[in-house]
Amino acid sequence: MKEQDMMPDGILENRIRGICEMRIEFDDSLITGNEMIDTQHKELIDRTNQFLAKLKEHAGRVDAIKMLDYLDEYVEFHFGEEEKLQEEISYPGLAEHRKKHEELRNTVKELYHMLNEEEGPTEAFVKQVEVNVVDWLIRHIQGFDRSVAEYRFIADNADRI
């Protein structure tokens, strides 16, 4: 099975039309079952969608940087909260999860670099957002973040299982 096949239908349909039409829909495939994580994911997806909308409007360099700042700010907050939760529950996959978070942080740095080198978002920039932000975020939530939520649920309900 391809990674794309695991994505929500709304994204695959929009991908055919191109990145500028892409939106992430928070559907059942992105629910972890942990209220805090799910609420933060909704905000993260909303900010990502706002960033994509700016790209669709052919935002200039300054607007793209502002939207990337807006997204980056929440990414840092969310990753901090997620990692703190994992520490609290002694999640055994914390080190690997931190490495995955570092991947997105590096992508954001690359996006800043691309914007600083160009007049505004280029086709290569948009492709980078598609593959290394949108796709990464969906795969990460469906895999890594669900595992954390499941681990916490099992730990919190050990006496019932």
Side-chain angles (χ1 to χ4, degrees), residues 4 17 19 23 29-30 38 63 90 102 111 120 130 139:
Q4 283 184 341
R17 287 178 260 148
I19 179 70
R23 272 186 69 73
S29 74
L30 299 175
D38 287 340
D63 284 340
S90 301
E102 198 58 34
L111 291 172
E130 176 185 342
R139 285 190 316 272

Side-chain angles (χ1 to χ4, degrees), residues 5-6 10 39 59 74 82 91 93-94 99 102 109 126 140:
D5 295 338
M6 296 186 302
T39 299
Y74 200 78
E82 232 179 46
Y91 181 64
L94 175 59
K99 286 179 188 174
E102 198 58 34
K109 287 177 190 171
V126 173
H140 184 77

Side-chain angles (χ1 to χ4, degrees), residues 41 78-86 97 101 140 145:
H41 285 163
H78 172 65
F79 285 176
E81 291 295 301
E82 232 179 46
E83 291 170 9
K84 185 168 56 174
L85 169 66
Q86 291 174 49
H97 207 122
H101 285 172
H140 184 77
D145 291 347

Side-chain angles (χ1 to χ4, degrees), residues 8 13 17-19 31 36 45 49 55 57 63 72-73 75 79 88-89 101 104 112 139 143-144 150 155 158:
E13 291 170 3
R17 287 178 260 148
I19 179 70
I31 293 173
M36 179 196 79
I45 286 169
N49 284 335
L55 294 177
E57 295 168 8
D63 284 340
D72 185 33
E73 171 190 342
V75 164
F79 285 176
E88 289 170 3
I89 64 172
H101 285 172
L104 187 59
Y112 277 119
R139 285 190 316 272
F144 281 85
E150 288 168 6

